[in-house]
Amino acid sequence: MAFGRSSRVKQRPVEPVTLKILVAGGFGVGKTTAVGAVSEIRPLRTEERLSEAGRPVDDLEGVESKTTTTVAMDFGRITLREDLVLYLFGTPGQDRFWFLWDELAQGALGAVVLADTRRLEDCFAAVDYFERRRIPFTVAVNCFDGAGEFPAETVQAALDLDPGVPVLLCDARDRSSVRDVLVAVVENALERAARGRRPVAT
């Protein structure tokens, strides 16, 4: 008996592209919340309780109810498409942990800088960090309850951002809102990479 070749062709499983994204910003701006809201796995958190010893060095103005802080990083994962997975690394916000940023930033495609309009100056350090290292970033204004709402253009001017830096409003507690920010980060980073590969017109 002759057997014909099966018409069914086994589909190879799609090997997703994995990209590393940083989630940065000032102390208490919502980085841990954002990673936890969007992660499809149980997020890794390195939070410790705030102590009396840390009060002289941790500025709690505007976040007086905060009781814990990230001392190393947050980690989460989200699948944007079948072929695209993001690994999220949330950075610690206090000055004394900035030495960790260089390690966390290695291999990152881009970054989110979370901002709070009540303490906008707290994200200056993150903006400067990514500008100096030429890491594409998107500013996401976390709309806290009771905080003043300002147009994206106003925030962009206040932070003295380059015109190409996207500024979005978001709710770090909401999965779809954070996902939209991450999509914008990837699009911005890939667009900048494509511009860098284009030949310069003469």
Side-chain angles (χ1 to χ4, degrees):
M1 178 182 272
F3 291 91
R5 182 175 293 180
S6 172
S7 60
R8 290 186 178 181
V9 178
K10 286 188 177 180
Q11 294 271 340
R12 289 186 178 180
V14 176
E15 187 69 30
V17 174
T18 58
L19 303 174
K20 181 179 183 180
I21 302 294
L22 297 185
V23 181
F27 178 55
V29 78
K31 300 180 293 295
T32 299
T33 300
V35 172
V38 80
S39 180
E40 63 200 14
I41 61 172
R42 183 178 179 180
L44 168 67
R45 293 174 173 163
T46 58
E47 287 196 305
E48 295 291 341
R49 291 192 65 81
L50 291 168
S51 65
E52 288 300 320
R55 288 190 180 277
V57 290
D58 293 330
D59 182 7
L60 296 179
E61 186 176 352
V63 286
E64 291 83 1
S65 61
K66 187 170 175 60
T67 59
T68 60
T69 184
T70 299
V71 296
M73 68 173 186
D74 299 307
F75 174 77
R77 185 189 73 200
I78 176 174
T79 302
L80 289 185
R81 297 190 315 240
E82 182 184 6
D83 60 345
L84 181 59
V85 174
L86 302 185
Y87 290 123
L88 309 176
F89 291 80
T91 65
Q94 299 100 309
D95 299 7
R96 66 182 188 276
F97 295 125
W98 281 350
F99 67 92
L100 295 168
W101 283 38
D102 287 340
E103 285 191 36
L104 292 176
Q106 287 192 22
L109 174 79
V112 180
V113 175
L114 274 174
D116 178 352
T117 57
R118 300 169 300 179
R119 299 176 293 123
L120 203 55
E121 66 280 1
D122 287 0
C123 70
F124 286 167
V127 168
D128 289 344
Y129 182 90
F130 296 125
E131 284 181 341
R132 286 198 308 271
R133 286 158 181 79
R134 299 179 181 273
I135 296 175
F137 65 95
T138 295
V139 173
V141 179
N142 191 6
C143 298
F144 285 90
D145 296 335
E149 291 191 17
F150 300 93
E153 297 79 10
T154 302
V155 176
Q156 190 168 45
L159 293 176
D160 193 25
L161 299 173
D162 291 336
V165 177
V167 177
L168 306 173
L169 305 182
C170 78
D171 183 342
R173 301 165 297 185
D174 183 75
R175 176 181 173 82
S176 62
S177 182
V178 178
R179 186 184 184 280
D180 289 345
V181 170
L182 294 173
V183 169
V185 172
V186 173
E187 289 177 345
N188 177 49
L190 294 179
E191 186 178 311
R192 280 197 37 183
R195 285 202 304 267
R197 289 194 295 267
R198 290 175 193 156
V200 178
T202 57

